[in-house]
Amino acid sequence: MCPATMGAEHDGDNTSAFQEKLPFDASSEEPSNFFASSHDPLWHSIAFGTVSGTSAVVIGHPLDSIKVRLQTNQTQHLFRNLFRGIIPPLVAVVPAWSAVFFAYGATLKLLGRHDLPAVAVAGTVAGSAYSLIVCPLELVKVHAQRHQVSSLAALRNVHRSLGWRGLYRGLSACMLRDTSASITYYMVAEALNRHEGFKERFGSAAPLAAGAITGVSHCAIEFPFDTVKTRFQTLHHGPGTTYRQIIHGITQSAMDRGRLSLALVPVLFRAVIAHSASFYAVQVLKEAIGSD
């Protein structure tokens, strides 16, 4: 055998050995997405958004009511009427969550790939879309939760004091909250559900475990922005009020900091329960439509 042939064989062996060490080589299958990939039809994204959004809202709303009352210092009758204000988020589930997941899936299709950097870009687009849709609905929701009135009564009060244009009060805080939280949500969800070691460790419970970790991660990022947004929407109607004034008031008050620490407890508890349930619902739907 000539040296050139021997060298080629050795090069081939080295290439094969190198490829075996790579987590994803050119000939291997792409990692399995948990949510939609760049190849999936967009109706998959809409279906995932509807199912995950509905389950998260219904399961998480009572704990969300406790969180809002602690955030806004309305602690009297803390555990009463916990489903007050559920109509706006339920009404928003189909248009908001479906639109968000549609924006996420459409961005991946536009990019033509679904690696984690692409997931981060798609998460940013999805978070921005969510803010535009949900900001007025959340303003009505937090008023209904804080004052323990119906959603219709809260809408009337908001319109009386702020006008229709006032429904987008707090939009910039919503944008900061939702883009940062959305990037975290999709990145953590996909990283965990693509990780073979994670799936082997948790088996059939992997979506539940991934949902719990994703929920805690994204809610921890979301909570500071959400607190400022909620205060801005419910406590201060003066035209000259600024976010800086609200942040200053929170940081200077020991009582506020204590209440916000308490508010974080139902937030994280809700995150574990609601996102575990929503991830499980998505997994069931994926199996039903053959998306895996």
Side-chain angles (χ1 to χ4, degrees):
M1 182 180 295
C2 69
T5 305
M6 291 179 62
E9 284 192 354
H10 285 305
D11 288 343
D13 291 341
N14 291 337
T15 301
S16 300
F18 176 71
Q19 286 181 338
E20 287 177 0
K21 295 178 183 179
L22 290 174
F24 304 108
D25 60 52
S27 62
S28 66
E29 294 184 357
E30 292 181 329
S32 176
N33 285 51
F34 183 66
F35 296 121
S37 73
S38 58
H39 308 310
D40 288 333
L42 289 176
W43 72 264
H44 282 197
S45 297
I46 296 173
F48 295 156
T50 303
V51 168
S52 59
T54 302
S55 58
V57 168
V58 171
I59 293 171
H61 191 79
L63 290 165
D64 184 65
S65 293
I66 296 171
K67 180 262 301 183
V68 167
R69 291 168 190 172
L70 288 169
Q71 282 178 321
T72 58
N73 298 327
Q74 191 67 24
T75 55
Q76 188 177 12
H77 308 306
L78 184 62
F79 300 103
R80 183 181 295 180
N81 300 321
L82 293 179
F83 278 94
R84 288 288 191 186
I86 196 173
I87 299 301
L90 276 179
V91 169
V93 163
V94 174
W97 283 70
S98 297
V100 165
F101 274 73
F102 176 86
Y104 174 78
T107 304
L108 290 181
K109 277 188 169 296
L110 184 65
L111 295 173
R113 65 184 206 272
H114 45 258
D115 54 14
L116 290 182
V119 166
V121 174
T124 303
V125 174
S128 301
Y130 184 79
S131 294
L132 292 172
I133 296 170
V134 86
C135 181
L137 294 163
E138 281 204 354
L139 186 136
V140 174
K141 174 185 77 75
V142 296
H143 273 271
Q145 289 172 317
R146 180 172 188 263
H147 301 293
Q148 301 186 32
V149 298
S150 69
S151 299
L152 183 59
L155 177 60
R156 287 171 179 163
N157 292 336
V158 169
H159 176 255
R160 189 180 304 114
S161 59
L162 299 174
W164 292 119
R165 293 179 65 181
L167 288 173
Y168 273 95
R169 182 178 178 84
L171 178 62
S172 55
C174 270
M175 282 283 188
L176 286 172
R177 178 197 67 179
D178 294 332
T179 52
S180 57
S182 183
I183 293 169
T184 305
Y185 177 84
Y186 288 109
M187 288 280 286
V188 175
E190 290 295 345
L192 291 177
N193 283 288
R194 295 180 190 187
H195 195 281
E196 291 301 325
F198 184 85
K199 291 190 285 188
E200 289 175 6
R201 181 179 182 84
F202 290 98
S204 60
L208 294 172
I213 297 171
T214 301
V216 168
S217 301
H218 116 274
C219 285
I221 296 294
E222 174 188 77
F223 185 75
F225 298 109
D226 185 65
T227 298
V228 174
K229 185 272 302 180
T230 301
R231 290 283 180 94
F232 191 78
Q233 287 182 327
T234 61
L235 298 183
H236 301 274
H237 290 166
T241 302
T242 64
Y243 289 118
R244 180 174 293 182
Q245 290 173 332
I246 295 175
I247 294 170
H248 179 77
I250 292 172
T251 55
Q252 294 301 309
S253 172
M255 184 177 294
D256 262 2
R257 293 196 300 272
R259 283 175 176 158
L260 291 176
S261 297
L262 285 176
L264 191 57
V265 174
V267 166
L268 297 179
F269 190 53
R270 180 194 63 175
V272 170
I273 296 174
H275 289 285
S276 293
S278 69
F279 275 41
Y280 179 77
V282 168
Q283 183 61 38
V284 170
L285 178 60
K286 288 175 65 179
E287 293 171 0
I289 65 177
S291 178
D292 279 327

